[in-house]
Amino acid sequence: MQSIIIILGLILIIMVLGIVAFLYLRKRAREFSKELFGTEDIRQAAKDMQIEYATTPKSVSAMTSLLLPKISADFPDFNYDEMKTRANNVLTSYLAAVTSGSAGLLKDGNAELKQKLTDHIGSFTEKNLREHYDSVHLHRTEIAQYRKAEGRCIITFQSSLECFHYTTDLGTGAVKDGSKEYKYQTRFNVDLIYIQDRNKVENELDHALGINCPNCGAPLSSLGAKVCEYCGTPIVAVNLYAWTFNNIEEL
C-alpha cells in the first residue's frame, strides 16, 4: 500500500512539473513571438508573414537608366516604350498559354521560345498536371541587362509580378501544389534578340545571327549599322520585327 502511495506521489510530482514546464515554455514562446513578430500568437504571426509575403512585390534589377543610352547609341531607332510593352505582352501571353495548356496563345516570340513553351507545358502534362498563373498583375518592368557576343545582341527585361500560382490534377482538378488563396510574388526575365534580316532565318530555330554585310560578307562592327563600312552597301533592318523574343525564365 505504501509503495502505491509513493508511486502515485511520483506521478503527481511529474504531472505538476510537466504542467509547470509547459506553462513556462508557452510563456517563453509568446514572449519570443511578441518580440520577433509583434504578437503573442505564433499561428497568427505565421499567417501574417504569409500575407506579407503574398502582398510584397519582388524587387527588380533596374538598369534602364544606365543601359538605355548604350542601346540607343547602337540602335538609334530603338523605341524603349514600344519594346517594353511588347515584353510585357509576350510575358503575359506566355503565362496564359501555360495556364490554358495551349502554346498557340503565345502572341510574340520566335520558334525557339515557342518550342520552350511547348516543352514546359508537356513536362507537366506528362505528370498529369496543369500549371496555373491566374490574375496576373505586373508591378514593374525594367531593362536588367544588355550584352553583345558572337553576333548576338540581347536585351533582358526583368518583370516583377503577382498572381495565383498553383498546379492541379488534370483528371480531378484538385490543387496539388501552390495556393488559390494567397498571391504569389515572383520575377521573370524576358530576353529580346536583335535580327538584322528576319527573312534569312524565318525557318531557323535560333533567329540570332552573326551580322554580316549582304553584299561583301564583311562583319558589321555596329549591330545597328545602316551602311557597311567596307563597301558602302546600305544595311536595311526590319525595325520592330528585327527584334524578337527567344527566352522567358522565372527567377
Side-chain angles (χ1 to χ4, degrees):
M1 186 67 177
Q2 186 176 3
S3 60
I4 294 176
I5 295 175
I6 294 174
I7 293 174
L8 291 176
L10 290 174
I11 293 175
L12 180 60
I13 292 172
I14 293 173
M15 290 178 62
V16 171
L17 290 176
I19 293 173
V20 172
F22 170 75
L23 293 175
Y24 174 77
L25 291 175
R26 185 175 67 173
K27 180 182 178 182
R28 290 296 298 157
R30 288 179 174 177
E31 291 175 351
F32 176 77
S33 178
K34 187 173 183 178
E35 180 180 350
L36 190 61
F37 306 113
T39 176
E40 293 183 353
D41 190 339
I42 293 181
R43 288 175 297 181
Q44 183 61 44
K47 185 176 182 180
D48 291 344
M49 288 182 63
Q50 189 171 18
I51 293 174
E52 182 178 0
Y53 177 80
T55 56
T56 304
K58 297 281 189 179
S59 61
V60 298
S61 178
M63 301 293 289
T64 304
S65 60
L66 178 64
L67 297 177
L68 188 55
K70 297 180 181 180
I71 296 171
S72 298
D74 288 339
F75 302 97
D77 296 331
F78 183 83
N79 188 317
Y80 168 70
D81 291 331
E82 190 170 25
M83 292 303 177
K84 178 180 176 179
T85 298
R86 282 184 66 191
N88 287 338
N89 289 340
V90 73
L91 175 56
T92 53
S93 69
Y94 180 94
L95 298 179
V98 170
T99 300
S100 68
S102 174
L105 293 182
L106 185 66
K107 294 182 179 179
D108 203 343
N110 62 13
E112 184 179 358
L113 179 59
K114 293 174 183 176
Q115 186 60 54
K116 288 178 180 178
L117 172 60
T118 299
D119 293 342
H120 182 84
I121 294 173
S123 67
F124 281 86
T125 303
E126 289 177 358
K127 301 173 185 176
N128 200 40
L129 297 173
R130 173 65 48 77
E131 186 177 22
H132 299 261
Y133 291 92
D134 293 342
S135 303
V136 174
H137 172 69
L138 292 172
H139 295 298
R140 185 180 182 183
T141 297
E142 297 283 352
I143 295 176
Q145 192 174 14
Y146 175 49
R147 57 197 186 277
K148 295 180 285 185
E150 299 178 354
R152 296 172 179 238
C153 174
I154 305 174
I155 298 174
T156 298
F157 286 92
Q158 188 171 109
S159 295
S160 169
L161 64 86
E162 69 177 29
C163 62
F164 292 103
H165 181 230
Y166 55 95
T167 57
T168 57
D169 184 281
L170 282 176
T172 65
V175 175
K176 308 297 289 185
D177 189 28
S179 173
K180 288 185 176 183
E181 181 180 1
Y182 293 102
K183 286 288 186 71
Y184 174 70
Q185 302 288 340
T186 187
R187 292 174 299 172
F188 279 86
N189 277 351
V190 178
D191 287 344
L192 180 66
I193 288 187
Y194 180 76
I195 298 171
Q196 188 77 17
D197 187 347
R198 188 185 183 94
N199 293 326
K200 291 183 179 180
V201 291
E202 197 62 47
N203 297 319
E204 294 290 335
L205 185 62
D206 183 359
H207 282 190
L209 293 179
I211 309 303
N212 299 87
C213 173
N215 180 51
C216 69
L220 302 181
S221 57
S222 172
L223 289 174
K226 302 300 181 183
V227 177
C228 175
E229 62 186 53
Y230 294 95
C231 68
T233 299
I235 306 299
V236 180
V238 196
N239 294 328
L240 178 64
Y241 297 102
W243 294 91
T244 186
F245 297 95
N246 84 317
N247 188 54
I248 293 178
E249 181 179 9
E250 185 171 10
L251 303 180

